[in-house]
Amino acid sequence: MTEQPRARVTYEQQETTAVIEIGDGRRRNSLGRADWRALDLLVGQISADPTVSVIVIASHGETFSSGSDLNDWKGASRVEIEQSFDEME
């Protein structure tokens, strides 16, 4: 049986603490453009929640995150890569 990939940005609230887990345990938890967007959206939503006082960003497995998934940039133009960096920031 083939193992199903984990969601790359997940969220759980434990009392007043929001725990966001990034990565899926593969490729050193690198994140693609869609993952960066999901993380940005999620942090924005959680920040607006008055019941949350702490946000913890953790990773799946032993490696926090190697950063961006460079596979997203295969065949991308310089403009697309620069846009990707802007989105990450």
Side-chain angles (χ1 to χ4, degrees), residues 14-78:
Q14 302 167 355
E15 298 182 20
T16 62
T17 301
V19 178
I20 298 171
E21 186 177 85
I22 60 173
D24 59 5
R26 295 179 296 144
R27 296 187 326 271
R28 300 203 183 276
N29 292 319
S30 60
L31 301 177
R33 289 179 74 181
D35 303 318
W36 286 108
R37 283 189 219 111
L39 181 60
D40 179 48
L41 180 65
L42 187 55
V43 168
Q45 290 172 344
I46 295 168
S47 296
D49 184 342
T51 66
V52 175
S53 59
V54 175
I55 298 175
V56 174
I57 299 179
S59 66
H60 179 75
E62 295 179 15
T63 301
F64 179 68
S65 177
S66 62
S68 291
D69 185 348
L70 299 181
N71 288 320
D72 273 6
W73 298 342
K74 285 182 181 175
S77 70
R78 180 183 172 125

